[in-house]
Amino acid sequence: MPEQMRVRFAPSPTGYLHVGGVRTALFNWLYARKYGGKFLLRIEDTDQQRNTPEALQAILDGLQWLGIQWDEPLVFQSKRLDIYRKYCYQLLNEGKAYYCYCSPELLEKKRSEAQRQKKPLKYDGTCRNLSEKQRRKLDAQGVPKLIRFRVPEGVTTFCDLVYTEVSFDNETISDFVILRSDEQPVYQMAVVVDDALMKISLVLRGDDHLSNTPKQIMLYHALGLPVPQFAHVPQILGPDKKRLSKRHGATSVIEYQQEGFLPEAVVNFLALLGWSPGDDREKMSRQELVDAFSIEGISKKSAVFDEQKLLWLNGEYLRELSSEQLWQPVSERLVEERLIDKNLAVQEKQWIVEIIDLLKKRAKKLSDFVEMGRYFFEDPSLYEEKAERKYWKDEQTTRRLQLLAEELASLDDFTAPRMEEVLRVLAQRLEIATATLIHSTRLAVSGRSYGPGLFELMEVLGKETVIRRLQKAIRFLTQ
């Protein structure tokens, strides 16, 4: 292992930070923390037409939300173009690269012809050995030119820390472009120069870059730069074993934040996507992940993204937090949904904490507190249809609810035990099952057939609200 372990994450700000990218960043961060190394962040923003400030901010916000902090100032490729050009011209002057005058139209024609003849789709080397006279003539005519790397003969072999030994026959690799005709350096050149100058010792990235690696190793050798180690991580698949995409649910890390997932749960879940600590642990703290992480634990098989497992894990983390700790994030969501005023949320803090207490057992994410607890803040405008047909079908339901409302209205002690006693006595007097009265009452006060214990729920709602909602349900049934 090198003296200074340096790894990097290098996203392009052309879209939002997706799950696969986050996992790559996390693996790099865990590796750096495990070995006391440095985790660097490089923004590959040379595609000026597709870059957006919003996408860049989303990348930075997403990493910071997850606690994946970089150790040195950000590096922007757009500010380093002259450096890449210098190295391109170095290869040109050393005869390791050459000017190519083939137009895009000619290249497309060559590709079509190769396809028709079922030949390999690679550049045929038309400009590889142009004479000085031929080049001067083309320059005099003003023909646009770019620079191609001269791929050497032989085989490029490297040891990948995940895939072990990987070999590519250079014969299958075209002389590839390193500097476009508009003087714009291409990805292959920029990434090699940056990784060398940033002293990256391990390039840990997705296996969609595996085919780029031989080209980059050739450039390292041609430029006389040290070659880092490589580790390529298999991609993440959806439950249908196809590449993870929008159809499988949220794929942007910001969406998970908005939906109410906790950063600790997302980090835990992503770390175990395609990596194993070597035992059956599924819930691991950040420090446990750092201590256990190793390249050897990365699987050669693609990981399957199971959102149900993420929900379960997030629920486990939620329940570890006290209701007091959850008050801030939950109340912020209640304010966003306009269920409660910001000032009132502070004044009614204890009441909201009691609501969280009731809902925490069933909640899987922060947004569940809003969805499951909406009826604490507004009277039901609709009643669950299926529950209506089941629990309000008896023509005696209206009379029963009226009697219960009268009994509860006379209570001075509006606590869960006292209300339960009153309801059970009434059910006995009416000669009906206690559950029959409980179900019809729950529907009246919450609009739903499920939720926390009815009596605890009514105690938190308060006497005035419970009586009002019972009367509203009675009017609904009468009409």
Side-chain angles (χ1 to χ4, degrees):
M1 185 162 302
E3 279 183 40
Q4 170 101 73
M5 172 55 65
R6 292 170 67 86
V7 293
R8 50 72 165 179
F9 176 53
S12 298
T14 55
Y16 294 103
L17 186 59
H18 291 272
V19 164
V22 176
R23 185 191 61 168
T24 299
L26 177 60
F27 281 5
N28 276 284
W29 183 87
L30 289 172
Y31 198 63
R33 293 294 173 269
K34 170 76 176 280
Y35 294 107
K38 299 284 187 182
F39 170 72
L40 311 183
L41 182 61
R42 181 172 73 229
I43 305 299
E44 299 193 337
D45 58 344
T46 55
D47 190 344
Q48 294 300 316
Q49 291 184 329
R50 294 176 61 216
N51 295 335
T52 68
E54 296 79 16
L56 172 60
Q57 196 57 52
I59 290 168
L60 302 182
D61 290 347
L63 291 175
Q64 287 174 331
W65 175 64
L66 292 170
I68 302 175
Q69 188 59 48
W70 47 99
D71 300 314
E72 292 181 5
L74 284 173
V75 173
F76 290 89
Q77 284 193 333
S78 58
K79 297 178 181 178
R80 297 163 62 82
L81 299 180
D82 286 341
I83 298 173
Y84 311 138
R85 291 183 189 119
K86 183 187 84 171
Y87 283 97
C88 289
Y89 283 108
Q90 176 185 321
L91 292 177
L92 181 72
N93 294 334
E94 292 174 355
K96 296 171 184 175
Y98 59 90
Y99 281 125
C100 175
Y101 298 84
C102 297
S103 66
E105 294 76 20
L106 177 60
L107 291 173
E108 183 54 45
K109 186 178 177 183
K110 289 173 183 286
R111 272 192 292 270
S112 299
E113 182 62 23
Q115 214 163 12
R116 189 181 67 78
Q117 296 182 16
K118 296 183 179 179
K119 290 182 177 179
L121 300 179
K122 55 176 288 192
Y123 179 62
D124 63 1
T126 299
C127 298
R128 205 174 209 261
N129 298 304
L130 289 178
S131 65
E132 183 66 29
K133 184 180 178 182
Q134 288 172 310
R135 284 198 297 273
R136 279 202 303 270
K137 182 180 178 182
L138 290 165
D139 287 338
Q141 294 171 354
V143 178
K145 60 187 177 184
L146 48 76
I147 298 179
R148 285 183 185 275
F149 179 71
R150 196 184 295 273
V151 173
E153 295 179 354
V155 176
T156 300
T157 301
F158 61 96
C159 180
D160 188 276
L161 298 184
V162 175
Y163 285 94
T164 61
E165 189 172 277
V166 183
S167 288
F168 287 86
D169 187 342
N170 294 359
E171 180 65 29
T172 64
I173 300 172
S174 292
D175 287 353
F176 51 92
V177 177
I178 56 174
L179 189 70
R180 297 191 181 96
S181 56
D182 60 359
E183 291 278 294
Q184 189 75 3
V186 301
Y187 163 78
Q188 305 289 12
M189 193 69 187
V191 73
V192 164
V193 171
D194 278 341
D195 284 343
L197 297 185
M198 292 168 71
K199 298 180 179 176
I200 300 301
S201 55
L202 169 67
V203 175
L204 196 165
R205 58 189 178 183
D207 67 357
D208 52 326
H209 285 287
L210 196 59
S211 60
N212 288 324
T213 308
K215 296 177 183 179
Q216 291 166 12
I217 288 175
M218 290 175 197
L219 288 173
Y220 282 114
H221 289 317
L223 292 166
L225 298 172
V227 182
Q229 288 185 299
F230 291 94
H232 290 89
V233 183
Q235 63 185 343
I236 301 172
L237 304 178
D240 57 2
K241 303 298 171 67
K242 294 181 180 176
R243 188 166 185 169
L244 190 67
S245 68
K246 266 291 187 193
R247 69 180 180 278
H248 299 114
T251 56
S252 163
V253 69
I254 295 298
E255 288 180 83
Y256 285 106
Q257 182 183 11
Q258 291 167 346
E259 284 185 21
F261 287 88
L262 299 176
E264 296 79 9
V266 176
V267 164
N268 188 165
F269 174 74
L270 290 178
L272 296 175
L273 261 186
W275 170 79
S276 169
D279 50 42
D280 296 330
R281 282 181 290 174
E282 290 189 304
K283 187 168 181 293
M284 299 175 69
S285 70
R286 196 175 295 250
Q287 190 56 53
E288 286 173 329
L289 291 170
V290 168
D291 292 341
F293 190 78
S294 69
I295 300 290
E296 292 74 25
I298 297 175
S299 172
K300 293 183 177 68
K301 294 181 180 178
S302 293
V304 176
F305 190 91
D306 182 356
E307 193 158 29
Q308 291 308 307
K309 186 172 180 181
L310 174 57
L311 278 168
W312 166 80
L313 195 56
N314 202 65
E316 293 294 304
Y317 276 93
L318 271 179
R319 280 181 283 283
E320 275 188 358
L321 298 174
S322 68
S323 298
E324 187 84 18
Q325 288 172 305
L326 287 168
W327 169 77
Q328 182 76 34
V330 170
S331 60
E332 284 173 0
R333 287 172 179 272
L334 294 171
V335 171
E336 283 172 16
E337 289 288 318
R338 298 183 180 179
L339 289 174
I340 194 167
D341 176 77
K342 188 175 182 180
N343 293 328
L344 192 59
V346 176
Q347 293 168 22
E348 299 287 353
K349 179 178 178 179
Q350 191 51 45
W351 179 58
I352 294 173
V353 167
E354 289 173 11
I355 292 170
I356 293 170
D357 268 336
L358 287 180
L359 300 177
K360 196 160 69 171
K361 189 176 179 181
R362 289 171 174 261
K364 297 283 181 65
K365 48 189 178 176
L366 290 171
S367 55
D368 288 347
F369 287 101
V370 176
E371 185 51 40
M372 295 193 307
R374 190 173 290 273
Y375 55 79
F376 283 103
F377 304 91
E378 56 186 21
D379 289 357
S381 55
L382 296 169
Y383 300 100
E384 193 182 308
E385 281 187 37
K386 190 176 177 182
E388 260 188 72
R389 293 193 297 271
K390 186 174 181 180
Y391 301 125
W392 284 359
K393 63 183 178 181
D394 193 315
E395 58 186 21
Q396 292 298 312
T397 300
T398 307
R399 175 172 166 266
R400 293 167 186 164
L401 292 178
Q402 183 60 53
L403 288 170
L404 180 62
E406 291 169 5
E407 293 279 352
L408 294 176
S410 66
L411 282 181
D412 291 327
D413 179 16
F414 206 74
T415 59
R418 186 73 182 98
M419 283 186 278
E420 182 174 2
E421 183 185 343
V422 166
L423 185 141
R424 288 184 181 280
V425 169
L426 179 59
Q428 196 171 19
R429 196 170 86 218
L430 294 171
E431 298 182 337
I432 59 172
T434 304
T436 300
L437 192 51
I438 285 176
H439 290 313
S440 58
T441 303
R442 177 188 292 282
L443 186 58
V445 298
S446 72
R448 303 183 185 186
S449 61
Y450 57 92
L454 173 64
F455 306 109
E456 290 79 6
L457 184 157
M458 291 198 298
E459 182 177 333
V460 172
L461 281 173
K463 184 175 179 178
E464 183 186 332
T465 300
V466 169
I467 303 302
R468 183 180 69 245
R469 291 184 183 182
L470 285 170
Q471 295 296 353
K472 183 180 178 181
I474 290 164
R475 288 194 299 276
F476 176 83
L477 286 165
T478 304
Q479 291 165 3

